[in-house]
Amino acid sequence: MDQEQPPGEPPTGVPEDFHLVVGTAGDQFRDWFTRLCLYLVLQDEYERESGETVIIGTEYGNFGAMAGLQRTAAAKGRLMSAQYFPNALTSSASAFVNLAIGATGRNMTLNAAQLTPVVTLWQMLVALGKGSSSTGHLLIGDVYSPEALGDARREDAGLPCASGVTHARLSTGDDYSASFDFWQEDTSSTGSFPAGGRAWVVARGEGVVETAEPKEHLGRNGAFITAEFLRMLQGLGPGGSAVVECRATSGKRASVTVTKRSS
């Protein structure tokens, strides 16, 4: 799902078993963001625990369902079905995921704009570190409704907005360590980032983090830079590290360095 598609249409690359996994009950009232989140979690086969945590990082969340509710209300008025309402919250995807897997751990939907990938991972690791859950579902991304796409392009018309969601299931353990940094820079200094704000991944190091040229930016949606980062972590050798750094147009910065244990 790495290219823009017509707003409101199914994202490209939807698997053939999509509706078999997600189900069709009440589907006409759900938006594609909820559907993708449900599919990614439900198709992940493992022994589930009731105390699992679900944390979703997104700029627009279930904006498509909210906009659909407004359009339907304008067209049907009092004839509109009440089934629209549970779906028409920006955080409704996390609630549906929790219900689908019977999770009773921490449940959160957050929006940190261009810092969302780092902040969402931080919140997940905090939740797991407190010991209330041993497993957590991390979901990051957006599906752009026409209204969301219009809003995104008002801020940066030249930044690609491809719909997609990245999912990772994280478990407690000591195979990796993570170090987070948050800071504010002078907005008059653009550094290596274009003015619109970007994120990049630094190449893995030999026990230390090596400075590397920024990879080509993957667009506004944090799903794709997160997927790139997670793939890099899977390839780390003992003592290897990788960094993802995000920068917002306001000058806010966030980064996380993940290191694989040496032995």
Side-chain angles (χ1 to χ4, degrees):
M1 290 178 274
D2 58 356
Q3 296 182 356
E4 291 192 40
Q5 70 285 327
E9 293 296 318
T12 57
V14 172
E16 291 183 0
D17 66 344
F18 188 87
H19 290 292
L20 182 64
V21 172
V22 173
T24 57
D27 189 61
Q28 68 268 38
F29 304 106
R30 296 189 298 218
D31 62 6
W32 274 102
F33 183 69
T34 293
R35 294 177 187 131
L36 288 182
C37 289
L38 282 170
Y39 177 83
L40 290 170
V41 173
L42 290 174
Q43 61 85 39
D44 188 9
E45 297 181 357
Y46 66 99
E47 187 175 348
R48 303 195 186 279
E49 304 174 9
S50 61
E52 291 178 316
T53 285
V54 176
I55 297 184
I56 297 178
T58 175
E59 283 196 74
Y60 291 98
N62 296 103
F63 202 81
M66 296 174 63
L69 172 66
Q70 294 174 339
R71 295 189 211 105
T72 305
K76 295 186 177 180
R78 295 184 179 182
L79 297 177
M80 182 179 62
S81 172
Q83 289 178 281
Y84 281 99
F85 288 89
N87 301 271
L89 300 171
T90 56
S91 60
S92 60
S94 60
F96 281 106
V97 169
N98 265 38
L99 290 170
I101 63 175
T104 59
R106 189 175 187 185
N107 178 267
M108 175 185 292
T109 299
L110 61 88
N111 172 10
Q114 288 142 327
L115 308 187
T116 295
V118 172
V119 175
T120 306
L121 182 58
W122 174 53
Q123 288 290 344
M124 173 59 74
L125 297 186
V126 167
L128 295 179
K130 289 183 177 180
S132 57
S133 300
S134 60
T135 302
H137 292 276
L138 180 80
L139 294 132
I140 296 176
D142 278 293
V143 175
Y144 296 94
S145 66
E147 294 82 0
L149 191 61
D151 180 73
R153 285 178 170 164
R154 274 193 292 272
E155 182 175 323
D156 191 335
L159 197 58
C161 293
S163 291
V165 179
T166 290
H167 166 249
R169 177 167 50 87
L170 305 181
S171 300
T172 55
D174 58 2
D175 291 340
Y176 297 86
S177 64
S179 175
F180 291 85
D181 286 298
F182 301 91
W183 70 100
Q184 176 78 39
E185 286 187 357
D186 183 354
T187 55
S188 64
S189 175
T190 60
S192 301
F193 287 84
R198 297 295 189 270
W200 76 66
V201 178
V202 176
R204 51 183 172 270
E206 300 291 338
V208 296
V209 179
E210 296 178 348
T211 301
E213 290 298 318
K215 289 183 175 291
E216 182 180 354
H217 179 59
L218 299 174
R220 183 185 182 95
N221 190 344
F224 302 106
I225 199 72
T226 302
E228 179 85 9
F229 182 57
L230 294 174
R231 280 192 291 267
M232 186 173 287
L233 295 183
Q234 291 178 324
L236 289 179
S241 299
V243 175
V244 63
E245 181 177 331
C246 301
R247 172 176 178 170
T249 52
S250 64
K252 291 181 179 180
R253 310 290 184 262
S255 72
V256 56
T257 303
V258 175
T259 303
K260 190 171 183 177
R261 189 175 60 179
S262 297
S263 60

